[in-house]
Amino acid sequence: MQVISFAFNPFLENTYVLFDESGECVIVDPGCYQPQERQLLDAAIAERNLRPVLLLNTHCHIDHVFGNRHVVDTYKVSLAIHRDELAVLESVPEYAKMFGTPFIPSPSPDRWLMPGEKVSFGLTQLEVLFTPGHAPGHVSFYHSPTLQVLSGDVLFRGSVGRTDLPGGNTELLLKSIREVLLPLGDDVTVLSGHGPKTTIGHERKTNPFLNQ
Ligand SMILES: [Zn+2]
Ligand SMILES: [Zn+2]
């Protein structure tokens, strides 16, 4: 599995395209907001001749779903999220209005991601890990053959996700990290929703939020 990443929108949210030699790909958390950002995403897909087959959201905060409508309209893919993120997704238009941010509403999800489920594209399988705390239905996507996990806004290099937004819960967030992410092992690369990549080992040893 190979990974293309972009930092999109004023929140510098990391958007990921995962693909393999079959040419199929999935798009995770399309934060593309400006027309140029949508073009960058489309160009990356087109120049590799990739075929998007699914849209995934780790969670549905505005910075992770800005491009949902574009991706679904352009590639005719279904949207899969955890059921507990539906209320978050549905609250985004109101949130956008409050901050005066133009927002093209996301399509409704086509199916729910179940904890432990394997999501397939091409020759690749991603394991759905349930990692609530930053958002109530937050999931992470783990690819064990290449030891990579997409951790959304749960775990960052040197930090953890905020828990002061509706549905946030600090205890639950730390539990998700300790009981779901850390056991993946020190060698696992963490591709976060914001900022640079890191490893489980680096965070286990140095992350101040995990060493209290
Ligand atoms: Zn978030
Ligand atoms: Zn975010």
Side-chain angles (χ1 to χ4, degrees):
M1 184 184 79
Q2 297 190 62
V3 180
I4 311 168
S5 67
F6 310 84
F8 282 152
N9 73 55
F11 299 91
L12 292 178
E13 180 269 352
N14 291 330
T15 294
Y16 294 99
V17 175
L18 312 178
F19 67 101
D20 66 21
E21 63 265 39
S22 73
E24 290 193 356
C25 71
V26 296
I27 300 165
V28 183
D29 290 355
C32 38
Y33 177 59
Q34 303 290 349
Q36 308 89 286
E37 294 176 337
R38 295 195 282 270
Q39 282 162 17
L40 273 176
L41 176 69
D42 292 341
I45 290 168
E47 74 199 15
R48 293 172 182 81
N49 276 316
L50 299 179
R51 223 165 339 106
V53 294
L54 186 63
L55 169 58
L56 299 169
N57 290 155
T58 58
H59 67 300
C60 295
H61 286 151
I62 189 167
D63 49 325
H64 296 253
V65 303
F66 271 128
N68 273 9
R69 169 58 70 187
H70 171 73
V71 167
V72 167
D73 284 359
T74 307
Y75 301 110
K76 317 292 178 222
V77 290
S78 4
L79 167 62
I81 67 172
H82 188 282
R83 184 190 294 269
D84 294 349
E85 284 301 295
L86 181 62
V88 179
L89 186 65
E90 287 176 338
S91 70
V92 172
E94 202 177 323
Y95 181 89
K97 211 198 279 174
M98 212 158 73
F99 288 91
T101 308
F103 177 70
I104 309 164
S106 168
S108 296
D110 300 285
R111 68 176 182 90
W112 307 126
L113 294 170
M114 307 302 285
E117 175 191 349
K118 299 274 185 3
V119 173
S120 299
F121 65 95
L123 310 167
T124 303
Q125 287 201 321
L126 300 170
E127 189 181 343
V128 176
L129 308 176
F130 187 50
T131 49
H134 169 72
H138 193 299
V139 293
S140 300
F141 300 106
Y142 180 48
H143 186 244
S144 58
T146 59
L147 298 178
Q148 297 181 90
V149 66
L150 273 66
S151 72
D153 287 359
V154 172
L155 180 61
F156 303 115
R157 187 176 175 94
S159 188
V160 299
R162 57 191 287 190
T163 53
D164 57 333
L165 298 168
N169 181 318
T170 306
E171 248 171 73
L172 199 53
L173 177 83
L174 293 174
K175 188 169 140 90
S176 290
I177 296 172
R178 290 212 175 91
E179 295 183 7
V180 180
L181 294 183
L182 297 190
L184 297 176
D186 284 355
D187 294 338
V188 169
T189 296
V190 179
L191 304 170
S192 302
H194 301 266
K197 60 175 140 178
T198 182
T199 64
I200 293 289
H202 182 80
E203 298 316 306
R204 189 201 302 278
K205 285 172 213 131
T206 64
N207 191 309
F209 296 89
L210 304 181
N211 294 297
Q212 290 161 354

